[in-house]
Amino acid sequence: MGRSYRICLAAACLALTACNVHCAVDLNDMPLADETISAGHGKETDVGIADREGGEHAFRGNSEKFEFQAEVNRLMDILINSLYSNKDVFLRELISNSADALDKIRFLSLTDKSQLGMGNDADLDIRMSIDKEQRTLTIRDKGVGMTKADLKNNLGTIAKSGTSAFLEQMQKGGDVNLIGQFGVGFYSVYLVADYVEVTSKHNDDKQYVWESNASGGYAISEDTEGEQLGRGTQIKLFLKEETQEYLEEAKLKELVEKYSEFINFPIYLYASKEVDVPADEAADAEAVESEVSDEDEEVADDEDVEDEEEEEEAAPKTVKETQWGWELLNDNKALWLRSANDIDEEEYDKFFQAISKTTDKPLAYSHFKAEGDVEFKSILFIPGKAPYDFMNNYYQNKPSLKLYVRRVFISDDFEELIPKYLSFVQGIVDSDTLPLQVSRENLQQHAALKTIKKKLVRKALDMIRKLADAETDFEAEDADKNDAEAAEDAKKYSTFWKEFGKAIKLGIIEDVQNRQRLAKLMRFETSKSGAREIGLDAYIANMKEGQKSIYYLAGETKEELENSPFSEQLLEKGYEIIYFTDPVDEYVMQNLMEYDDFKFQSASKEDLKLGDKDAKKENKRLKEEFRGVVTWWKAALADPEVENVKISTRLASTPCVVVTSKYGWSANMERIMRAQALGDAERQSYMKGKRILEINPRHPLIQQVKVKFEADPENGPNALAKILYETALLESGFQVKSPKAFNSRIYTLIKDAMDLKGDLTVSPQDDSIEVTLLWHFECCLSMVVTLLTVHFLCDEVTLNAVWSSSMTLLASASSMYGALSIAQANGLLLIV
């Protein structure tokens, strides 16, 4: 029962907050806390102040005390202990509230300038200060402030937002979009504080103090003794013992930079810094006396030096001094809120450096505003260099986009905003309409995120495409090669492809919807491109008339592919072949079946079609001529992995080659999968393509095999058939099943070529030779030990004698192999 009640309360909180900005719900009918008027309203005593600042945090003596409702207490417990996973967000919430209050007073001043006031009151800013002795953090703004009734309604009742009520009143007369001044977010202060004082002054009321320790009650009193704010709100947090880190200047600067860097209003911190100041007169006098004494000693040695010293003025003395003052923390402006026409490239470069924390310039940027069902503004950048571990941690990489809602940082860890393969894109996304849950740390799973993601991906791909187009345009024949700016832009895409090309290839695998757009961005070397990389559009433009397929070959290196037997006929007939040397290319081609209505055709797989009608007729004749040979050859191999033996149309100078079935792994893919440390052996065996031996009927070796087979069909040259198949396996990139059996057949061929009689059995070795050799080396080792000893104990003559004996003995031992001379033995001993 209790658990269900708690869940219902949390659900109610979420529902109220969701309505906070978007709905005009009247919450005044909600039951308020029972009021209990205090006995007296006299001035607060010094004892009360001492109790509160000493750690007891007693309410002021003249305050009106209120009790939170039981439901509110329970709901606050959920908020404090459940909804916020990171204590740091309390500062983000308070600064956001202050910024909203400043926005409100600025809006009111447009129609009534007296609302803004004069002098310091007209300076709209946020100021923070710390007191380590009292363990307090104070945040003050010059916003609209709150009346006594506002304090009771906005802070005394959860999910009652002052800004929400303000928006309801102003909705018809103006377009103001604010997050909410004091809603649920305010109560995140109790993550770090055990007591809170809120002092506020509204133009229409006196200055009041709201105070609470979140233990069941709060109090409101008129502030007659505290510093008069003029207008605005001041929040003083009495920090818990375990949250003292928020009293450090560095920590506060870090949080402001992370969460509130682009708030419209300046944020100041009362901070210390060391500066050089002139030393006092006593220190100066002492320094002068010391210099004079030194000069007198030098005069005694050299009178010329004395003349020079008298002409020189004493250098001014400075000492380090700690000074306190207001330090501006957010000097970066929200560039995305301005029109792109009013921003020059230098400003974009500086903004990129600010958000990326680098000194590099971006390769490209896109500044746009999206309108429609979901409205947001964004600036996207493509960096010039990938992070050092970008591909090593590809699936662990977090997006480089920062999500803001009304210039308040929400998160930089939203994978829903951009896909993995574009995680290198950096920038800002700021939405005024994105819905929020009760805690800003968790966005609702909303259809708006899908819309934002779709638009961001399209804009990112457009950026990359423009880089690629600049390269293509410059390489065109009619392009001005002397245009320095165009030449510089043309280099950018080659830089991009070097740094992020693998990510684009992974995008082809992962992003089905944008697969063709990404394929257009690919770059590769071909058989005709030389050292230059081209794209698929350039390949298609260079295709032969009547060519219906895009031919490619995958392997370890370009040199290997250039000499591959798979490409012999293709190259002879003038076809261009794409060379894929990146392991990920094999995975890409399993997903990219066609481009621009042209199908991809691997030169290493079966059914390679060259589209030559005359060749088809000749091939048909050869098939008939070699019908008996291929049937015998397949039976001679007796290998279940060999599906067939065929006449080849792809070979020119090579006798035979092994290809794979159309939908199985190529030899290169098998090599890649064998290298996987955690590969699935069962899956690998299933995915291996059936092997097909293709023979070149015009090659002399194949013709001779045919002659031998036809001379004695019953006893064909089976050994030659197996050797030719196994050598073709190796040349095609496969592994032979039994290296030992293969080597044995090769040795037999060599034996026959050398006209050796008998078998290749090795005669047994004489054991006496081994014993003698062992004795010699033992003696040599003893001499080496002796040599090392006398090196430290004997004179040079004795040392040389021992050295000579060692050389002779080592050479003697080595001569039993007839291999080492004295000089070589000398080198071996030196190594020892």
Side-chain angles (χ1 to χ4, degrees), residues 163-182:
T163 301
S164 177
F166 173 77
L167 284 176
E168 291 170 14
Q169 296 174 9
M170 296 294 130
Q171 191 170 8
K172 297 180 180 180
D175 181 16
V176 182
N177 293 307
L178 303 175
I179 292 175
Q181 183 179 356
F182 288 100

PDB file of all heavy atoms in Angstrom, residues 163-182:
ATOM      1  N   THR A 163       6.773  31.316 -12.720  1.00  0.00           N
ATOM      2  CA  THR A 163       6.935  31.632 -14.134  1.00  0.00           C
ATOM      3  C   THR A 163       5.783  31.089 -14.953  1.00  0.00           C
ATOM      4  O   THR A 163       5.335  31.703 -15.918  1.00  0.00           O
ATOM      5  CB  THR A 163       8.262  31.045 -14.654  1.00  0.00           C
ATOM      6  OG1 THR A 163       9.316  31.605 -13.897  1.00  0.00           O
ATOM      7  CG2 THR A 163       8.471  31.353 -16.108  1.00  0.00           C
ATOM      8  N   SER A 164       5.267  29.901 -14.556  1.00  0.00           N
ATOM      9  CA  SER A 164       4.121  29.342 -15.268  1.00  0.00           C
ATOM     10  C   SER A 164       2.931  30.287 -15.184  1.00  0.00           C
ATOM     11  O   SER A 164       2.257  30.548 -16.186  1.00  0.00           O
ATOM     12  CB  SER A 164       3.763  27.971 -14.689  1.00  0.00           C
ATOM     13  OG  SER A 164       2.616  27.463 -15.316  1.00  0.00           O
ATOM     14  N   ALA A 165       2.666  30.838 -13.979  1.00  0.00           N
ATOM     15  CA  ALA A 165       1.566  31.785 -13.828  1.00  0.00           C
ATOM     16  C   ALA A 165       1.822  33.044 -14.650  1.00  0.00           C
ATOM     17  O   ALA A 165       0.916  33.600 -15.275  1.00  0.00           O
ATOM     18  CB  ALA A 165       1.403  32.138 -12.349  1.00  0.00           C
ATOM     19  N   PHE A 166       3.089  33.487 -14.684  1.00  0.00           N
ATOM     20  CA  PHE A 166       3.439  34.677 -15.468  1.00  0.00           C
ATOM     21  C   PHE A 166       3.196  34.441 -16.959  1.00  0.00           C
ATOM     22  O   PHE A 166       2.664  35.291 -17.664  1.00  0.00           O
ATOM     23  CB  PHE A 166       4.908  35.022 -15.215  1.00  0.00           C
ATOM     24  CG  PHE A 166       5.430  36.132 -16.088  1.00  0.00           C
ATOM     25  CD1 PHE A 166       5.116  37.448 -15.814  1.00  0.00           C
ATOM     26  CD2 PHE A 166       6.230  35.841 -17.179  1.00  0.00           C
ATOM     27  CE1 PHE A 166       5.602  38.476 -16.613  1.00  0.00           C
ATOM     28  CE2 PHE A 166       6.714  36.864 -17.975  1.00  0.00           C
ATOM     29  CZ  PHE A 166       6.396  38.182 -17.693  1.00  0.00           C
ATOM     30  N   LEU A 167       3.550  33.257 -17.432  1.00  0.00           N
ATOM     31  CA  LEU A 167       3.350  32.949 -18.847  1.00  0.00           C
ATOM     32  C   LEU A 167       1.869  32.903 -19.193  1.00  0.00           C
ATOM     33  O   LEU A 167       1.450  33.327 -20.275  1.00  0.00           O
ATOM     34  CB  LEU A 167       4.001  31.611 -19.194  1.00  0.00           C
ATOM     35  CG  LEU A 167       5.525  31.621 -19.320  1.00  0.00           C
ATOM     36  CD1 LEU A 167       6.029  30.210 -19.577  1.00  0.00           C
ATOM     37  CD2 LEU A 167       5.963  32.542 -20.437  1.00  0.00           C
ATOM     38  N   GLU A 168       1.055  32.385 -18.259  1.00  0.00           N
ATOM     39  CA  GLU A 168      -0.379  32.320 -18.513  1.00  0.00           C
ATOM     40  C   GLU A 168      -0.954  33.725 -18.696  1.00  0.00           C
ATOM     41  O   GLU A 168      -1.818  33.947 -19.538  1.00  0.00           O
ATOM     42  CB  GLU A 168      -1.075  31.604 -17.361  1.00  0.00           C
ATOM     43  CG  GLU A 168      -0.747  30.108 -17.292  1.00  0.00           C
ATOM     44  CD  GLU A 168      -1.255  29.487 -15.999  1.00  0.00           C
ATOM     45  OE1 GLU A 168      -2.070  30.141 -15.313  1.00  0.00           O
ATOM     46  OE2 GLU A 168      -0.839  28.374 -15.696  1.00  0.00           O
ATOM     47  N   GLN A 169      -0.423  34.688 -17.950  1.00  0.00           N
ATOM     48  CA  GLN A 169      -0.924  36.053 -18.042  1.00  0.00           C
ATOM     49  C   GLN A 169      -0.414  36.751 -19.304  1.00  0.00           C
ATOM     50  O   GLN A 169      -1.102  37.558 -19.898  1.00  0.00           O
ATOM     51  CB  GLN A 169      -0.491  36.852 -16.810  1.00  0.00           C
ATOM     52  CG  GLN A 169      -1.085  36.326 -15.517  1.00  0.00           C
ATOM     53  CD  GLN A 169      -0.530  37.041 -14.304  1.00  0.00           C
ATOM     54  OE1 GLN A 169       0.168  38.044 -14.436  1.00  0.00           O
ATOM     55  NE2 GLN A 169      -0.823  36.525 -13.123  1.00  0.00           N
ATOM     56  N   MET A 170       0.836  36.414 -19.707  1.00  0.00           N
ATOM     57  CA  MET A 170       1.464  37.117 -20.822  1.00  0.00           C
ATOM     58  C   MET A 170       1.297  36.401 -22.158  1.00  0.00           C
ATOM     59  O   MET A 170       1.744  36.893 -23.177  1.00  0.00           O
ATOM     60  CB  MET A 170       2.965  37.286 -20.553  1.00  0.00           C
ATOM     61  CG  MET A 170       3.277  38.160 -19.352  1.00  0.00           C
ATOM     62  SD  MET A 170       2.762  39.875 -19.648  1.00  0.00           S
ATOM     63  CE  MET A 170       1.839  40.195 -18.158  1.00  0.00           C
ATOM     64  N   GLN A 171       0.662  35.249 -22.171  1.00  0.00           N
ATOM     65  CA  GLN A 171       0.623  34.422 -23.376  1.00  0.00           C
ATOM     66  C   GLN A 171      -0.058  35.148 -24.535  1.00  0.00           C
ATOM     67  O   GLN A 171       0.353  35.040 -25.687  1.00  0.00           O
ATOM     68  CB  GLN A 171      -0.101  33.111 -23.094  1.00  0.00           C
ATOM     69  CG  GLN A 171       0.048  32.094 -24.219  1.00  0.00           C
ATOM     70  CD  GLN A 171      -0.480  30.740 -23.806  1.00  0.00           C
ATOM     71  OE1 GLN A 171      -1.085  30.599 -22.754  1.00  0.00           O
ATOM     72  NE2 GLN A 171      -0.255  29.743 -24.639  1.00  0.00           N
ATOM     73  N   LYS A 172      -1.078  35.896 -24.229  1.00  0.00           N
ATOM     74  CA  LYS A 172      -1.815  36.586 -25.286  1.00  0.00           C
ATOM     75  C   LYS A 172      -1.074  37.823 -25.784  1.00  0.00           C
ATOM     76  O   LYS A 172      -1.222  38.212 -26.936  1.00  0.00           O
ATOM     77  CB  LYS A 172      -3.197  36.985 -24.779  1.00  0.00           C
ATOM     78  CG  LYS A 172      -4.074  35.803 -24.408  1.00  0.00           C
ATOM     79  CD  LYS A 172      -5.434  36.269 -23.921  1.00  0.00           C
ATOM     80  CE  LYS A 172      -6.314  35.090 -23.541  1.00  0.00           C
ATOM     81  NZ  LYS A 172      -7.652  35.525 -23.065  1.00  0.00           N
ATOM     82  N   GLY A 173      -0.279  38.420 -24.922  1.00  0.00           N
ATOM     83  CA  GLY A 173       0.342  39.685 -25.309  1.00  0.00           C
ATOM     84  C   GLY A 173       1.797  39.599 -25.683  1.00  0.00           C
ATOM     85  O   GLY A 173       2.374  40.589 -26.115  1.00  0.00           O
ATOM     86  N   GLY A 174       2.484  38.458 -25.555  1.00  0.00           N
ATOM     87  CA  GLY A 174       3.904  38.386 -25.887  1.00  0.00           C
ATOM     88  C   GLY A 174       4.382  36.959 -25.981  1.00  0.00           C
ATOM     89  O   GLY A 174       3.741  36.049 -25.476  1.00  0.00           O
ATOM     90  N   ASP A 175       5.501  36.800 -26.634  1.00  0.00           N
ATOM     91  CA  ASP A 175       6.078  35.465 -26.820  1.00  0.00           C
ATOM     92  C   ASP A 175       7.260  35.308 -25.876  1.00  0.00           C
ATOM     93  O   ASP A 175       8.384  35.677 -26.188  1.00  0.00           O
ATOM     94  CB  ASP A 175       6.537  35.284 -28.274  1.00  0.00           C
ATOM     95  CG  ASP A 175       7.108  33.905 -28.511  1.00  0.00           C
ATOM     96  OD1 ASP A 175       6.885  33.016 -27.669  1.00  0.00           O
ATOM     97  OD2 ASP A 175       7.785  33.726 -29.534  1.00  0.00           O
ATOM     98  N   VAL A 176       7.021  34.782 -24.691  1.00  0.00           N
ATOM     99  CA  VAL A 176       8.072  34.598 -23.688  1.00  0.00           C
ATOM    100  C   VAL A 176       8.121  33.125 -23.327  1.00  0.00           C
ATOM    101  O   VAL A 176       7.117  32.560 -22.908  1.00  0.00           O
ATOM    102  CB  VAL A 176       7.791  35.445 -22.424  1.00  0.00           C
ATOM    103  CG1 VAL A 176       8.917  35.278 -21.431  1.00  0.00           C
ATOM    104  CG2 VAL A 176       7.616  36.897 -22.795  1.00  0.00           C
ATOM    105  N   ASN A 177       9.264  32.520 -23.504  1.00  0.00           N
ATOM    106  CA  ASN A 177       9.411  31.091 -23.205  1.00  0.00           C
ATOM    107  C   ASN A 177      10.451  30.922 -22.118  1.00  0.00           C
ATOM    108  O   ASN A 177      11.639  31.108 -22.359  1.00  0.00           O
ATOM    109  CB  ASN A 177       9.842  30.324 -24.464  1.00  0.00           C
ATOM    110  CG  ASN A 177       8.751  30.318 -25.510  1.00  0.00           C
ATOM    111  OD1 ASN A 177       7.630  29.943 -25.221  1.00  0.00           O
ATOM    112  ND2 ASN A 177       9.075  30.770 -26.710  1.00  0.00           N
ATOM    113  N   LEU A 178      10.004  30.616 -20.915  1.00  0.00           N
ATOM    114  CA  LEU A 178      10.902  30.447 -19.779  1.00  0.00           C
ATOM    115  C   LEU A 178      10.699  29.065 -19.170  1.00  0.00           C
ATOM    116  O   LEU A 178       9.633  28.480 -19.246  1.00  0.00           O
ATOM    117  CB  LEU A 178      10.631  31.515 -18.713  1.00  0.00           C
ATOM    118  CG  LEU A 178      10.734  32.972 -19.191  1.00  0.00           C
ATOM    119  CD1 LEU A 178      10.332  33.913 -18.080  1.00  0.00           C
ATOM    120  CD2 LEU A 178      12.143  33.274 -19.665  1.00  0.00           C
ATOM    121  N   ILE A 179      11.729  28.550 -18.546  1.00  0.00           N
ATOM    122  CA  ILE A 179      11.676  27.207 -17.982  1.00  0.00           C
ATOM    123  C   ILE A 179      10.825  27.173 -16.710  1.00  0.00           C
ATOM    124  O   ILE A 179      10.080  26.245 -16.474  1.00  0.00           O
ATOM    125  CB  ILE A 179      13.099  26.705 -17.686  1.00  0.00           C
ATOM    126  CG1 ILE A 179      13.821  26.498 -19.003  1.00  0.00           C
ATOM    127  CG2 ILE A 179      13.072  25.405 -16.901  1.00  0.00           C
ATOM    128  CD1 ILE A 179      15.270  26.120 -18.835  1.00  0.00           C
ATOM    129  N   GLY A 180      10.953  28.164 -15.874  1.00  0.00           N
ATOM    130  CA  GLY A 180      10.209  28.144 -14.611  1.00  0.00           C
ATOM    131  C   GLY A 180      11.104  28.654 -13.503  1.00  0.00           C
ATOM    132  O   GLY A 180      12.206  28.159 -13.318  1.00  0.00           O
ATOM    133  N   GLN A 181      10.628  29.668 -12.761  1.00  0.00           N
ATOM    134  CA  GLN A 181      11.512  30.277 -11.775  1.00  0.00           C
ATOM    135  C   GLN A 181      11.695  29.404 -10.541  1.00  0.00           C
ATOM    136  O   GLN A 181      12.799  29.029 -10.208  1.00  0.00           O
ATOM    137  CB  GLN A 181      10.971  31.650 -11.352  1.00  0.00           C
ATOM    138  CG  GLN A 181      11.909  32.351 -10.390  1.00  0.00           C
ATOM    139  CD  GLN A 181      11.392  33.707 -10.002  1.00  0.00           C
ATOM    140  OE1 GLN A 181      10.372  34.150 -10.506  1.00  0.00           O
ATOM    141  NE2 GLN A 181      12.071  34.364  -9.094  1.00  0.00           N
ATOM    142  N   PHE A 182      10.627  29.043  -9.863  1.00  0.00           N
ATOM    143  CA  PHE A 182      10.753  28.209  -8.672  1.00  0.00           C
ATOM    144  C   PHE A 182       9.725  27.093  -8.739  1.00  0.00           C
ATOM    145  O   PHE A 182       8.627  27.204  -8.228  1.00  0.00           O
ATOM    146  CB  PHE A 182      10.553  29.029  -7.391  1.00  0.00           C
ATOM    147  CG  PHE A 182      11.685  29.946  -7.090  1.00  0.00           C
ATOM    148  CD1 PHE A 182      11.603  31.280  -7.396  1.00  0.00           C
ATOM    149  CD2 PHE A 182      12.854  29.463  -6.538  1.00  0.00           C
ATOM    150  CE1 PHE A 182      12.649  32.137  -7.132  1.00  0.00           C
ATOM    151  CE2 PHE A 182      13.902  30.308  -6.277  1.00  0.00           C
ATOM    152  CZ  PHE A 182      13.797  31.658  -6.573  1.00  0.00           C
TER     153      PHE A 182
END
